[in-house]
Amino acid sequence: MIDQATGMKPGERYRVENVERAHQFPGFFQDGKYYLGPELLTAVGWIEGTRFIYDSVDAEGEPVFPNREAGTIEGLRLTLVDSTALELSRIEASETIAPLDDHKKSGTEQEALRGGVQSRGPLRGKVVVITGASSGIGRAAAHAFACKGARLVLAARDEEALFEVLDECTDCGTDAIAITTDVTRNDQVQALAAQAAEFGHGRIDIWINNAGVGAVGNFEETPLEAHEQVIQTDLMGYLRGAFVALPLFKAQGSGILINTLSLGSWVAQPYAAAYSASKFGLRGLTEALRGELTEFPDIHVCDIYPAVMDTPGFRDGGNYTGHALTPPGPVYDPELVAKAMVACAISPRAHTTVGATARLAHLASYLVPGLPLLSGWLTRRGINRSPKAETSSGNLFEPPSGRRSIDGGWRKSKDKTPLLIGAAALGMIVGFAITHSRRRS
């Protein structure tokens, strides 16, 4: 039903037909509110009766209109407070709203766009699903995609932390929803896909499998249910994500599936057997999916292989060693992985390695057949030299307590120890390779 006062129809968008001598209105009206752009769904104005209230400020931060009242709207005509009359016209569903040049924008429009969301770009308005979005790499990815103007569907088990991330992303000006999801549950992953598709008006452009847990300890001293939970999350959780995303991608003819793997996908991790099984399994899963998708050139499966990242994972994971756990150096910024994900979303590539250590591990996996033996010795030595600690299931079966974050706090400014350890490890690997080669010859 058309509003008899303003002349607007519910659910429709209306642009202002701007004229040069008047204040410029680059956005649109919809359902009694005024928005700055098609996907920047943060209202900066609204209609009260026929009065148009607009929170616009100039470059100095001063209100453009006294008392925030820009004018009145009657019969699809906006009459400004200075009596300038501007016509309103309905925007067709196939049209887009082109942003004005910067020198024509008010302080409000310029500040909104400077706040992080880009007015243009290949990810603008794309629907992106991110699992494990409450902390670590997933949280960093949420921020990175929000700043590119993507529309986000954030998923994780920790509802409180998830809504914190939601607030952080919407503060950037993008549109996002949070859906509490346990990727070990078929029904919850299916519900995530259904709600994401509804949010995207039937479309999902990018699905990021990122949720992950870990359990460290001697194989037989780690409870079987802990091993099972790692595999259910780190392998089966990714399979479930692919299972619900790919049919949508095929129906729409395009889509990008991004999987977070690990340097552990190449080099087995002694004392983390289930984690190794999952990460090695993911390599097989993704390669198999690529083989099935050769008839769909616009559907891509992208693997991200990070080195050891400074996330809360080591602190929050299951620990059955009896010792405190610290990540082996060098430790990298998780923002690097988020940037790699954005790069894959813009220009898909099958394999992306993040961090020099991951590249070295990949190379060593081919050059040093006995590398897991060396890895086992280094891990065992590191664990035994660590302080005693209580065993704990950590975040295996429920979200961890305490504040969630991107960083784990493992990096220290100007601390060169991780680099030295990395260099020493590389030297040991090279030495091991040479020795092994001589013995074989």
Side-chain angles (χ1 to χ4, degrees):
M1 179 181 295
I2 295 177
D3 187 290
Q4 296 301 313
T6 65
M8 299 185 201
K9 185 177 180 180
E12 300 286 354
R13 295 180 174 185
Y14 296 83
R15 68 159 61 88
V16 179
E17 299 296 340
N18 293 286
V19 295
E20 288 189 10
R21 67 180 183 275
H23 179 85
Q24 300 295 295
F25 296 90
F28 63 91
F29 290 96
Q30 181 177 351
D31 296 331
K33 295 181 179 180
Y34 179 72
Y35 301 95
L36 289 181
E39 300 300 338
L40 189 59
L41 297 183
T42 301
V44 295
W46 59 94
I47 300 172
E48 293 183 356
T50 60
R51 295 190 307 143
F52 174 31
I53 310 301
Y54 186 27
D55 278 331
S56 180
V57 296
D58 59 24
E60 284 71 43
E62 296 297 324
V64 173
F65 300 103
N67 301 320
R68 300 184 303 167
E69 186 171 342
T72 58
I73 299 177
E74 296 182 77
L76 294 182
R77 173 175 291 186
L78 169 59
T79 303
L80 300 179
V81 290
D82 63 2
S83 299
T84 301
L86 303 173
E87 299 295 326
L88 303 184
S89 62
R90 187 170 67 87
I91 301 172
E92 299 295 334
S94 59
E95 293 184 63
T96 59
I97 302 174
L100 298 177
D101 295 336
D102 284 344
H103 73 277
K104 293 183 179 180
K105 293 189 181 88
S106 72
T108 299
E109 286 106 26
Q110 292 187 45
E111 184 60 32
L113 294 176
R114 282 197 301 267
V117 176
Q118 296 184 352
S119 59
R120 297 174 183 172
L123 296 180
R124 180 79 174 159
K126 297 291 186 181
V127 177
V128 181
V129 179
I130 305 174
T131 67
S134 59
S135 67
I137 291 171
R139 194 165 187 151
H143 293 174
F145 279 95
C147 290
K148 294 295 182 181
R151 304 182 68 225
L152 302 179
V153 180
L154 307 173
R157 294 177 299 173
D158 191 332
E159 184 176 36
E160 182 178 353
L162 196 58
F163 277 91
E164 288 178 0
V165 184
L166 178 67
D167 288 342
E168 293 164 0
C169 292
T170 53
D171 284 347
C172 189
T174 195
D175 195 13
I177 59 174
I179 302 172
T180 306
T181 306
D182 184 344
V183 298
T184 69
R185 297 276 302 276
N186 292 338
D187 57 338
Q188 292 192 22
V189 176
Q190 290 169 354
L192 170 63
Q195 293 179 67
E198 182 180 359
F199 174 73
H201 307 294
R203 185 177 183 86
I204 297 174
D205 298 290
I206 300 157
W207 185 290
I208 300 177
N209 281 321
N210 174 75
V213 296
V216 181
N218 286 313
F219 176 71
E220 69 277 11
E221 294 176 2
T222 300
L224 182 58
E225 57 267 24
H227 290 304
E228 292 174 337
Q229 185 71 358
V230 171
I231 292 173
Q232 280 293 332
T233 305
D234 295 3
L235 177 58
M236 293 301 298
Y238 283 51
L239 188 147
R240 292 183 182 96
F243 191 80
V244 297
L246 290 180
L248 285 167
F249 291 171
K250 289 181 178 180
Q252 64 200 24
S254 64
I256 300 173
L257 178 67
I258 298 176
N259 295 317
T260 306
L261 278 74
S262 166
L263 61 80
S265 298
W266 296 310
V267 180
Q269 304 293 297
Y271 302 96
Y275 179 85
S276 291
S278 299
K279 295 302 181 179
F280 270 72
L282 285 178
R283 282 178 54 201
L285 172 65
T286 55
E287 292 293 348
L289 292 179
R290 288 192 194 98
E292 292 186 24
L293 293 169
T294 54
E295 297 180 2
F296 299 89
D298 293 323
I299 299 178
H300 305 276
V301 180
C302 304
D303 296 342
I304 308 288
Y305 294 87
V308 179
M309 293 292 147
D310 182 13
T311 71
F314 274 86
R315 182 190 66 219
D316 295 340
N319 181 1
Y320 298 94
T321 66
H323 295 267
L325 296 177
T326 57
V331 180
Y332 295 86
D333 186 349
E335 302 283 357
L336 297 174
V337 185
K339 291 179 181 179
M341 290 176 172
V342 169
C344 282
I346 294 173
S347 181
R349 55 187 297 182
H351 310 289
T352 301
T353 305
V354 181
T357 308
R359 288 187 282 274
L360 289 173
H362 189 191
L363 178 63
S365 67
Y366 293 102
L367 297 179
V368 187
L371 186 58
L373 303 180
L374 174 61
S375 178
W377 180 82
L378 290 172
T379 302
R380 185 163 52 250
R381 186 170 184 270
I383 290 174
N384 291 335
R385 289 166 63 92
S386 295
K388 295 287 186 177
E390 295 292 329
T391 60
S392 169
S393 61
N395 65 350
L396 287 177
F397 304 101
E398 60 184 13
S401 59
R403 188 177 181 277
R404 312 302 299 282
S405 62
I406 293 175
D407 297 331
W410 304 108
R411 287 174 296 158
K412 296 179 181 179
S413 60
K414 299 182 180 180
D415 183 2
K416 297 182 179 180
T417 302
L419 296 177
L420 295 175
I421 294 175
L426 176 61
M428 294 180 69
I429 289 172
V430 172
F432 189 89
I434 293 173
T435 302
H436 184 79
S437 176
R438 287 176 176 174
R439 286 177 178 176
R440 290 181 61 185
S441 61

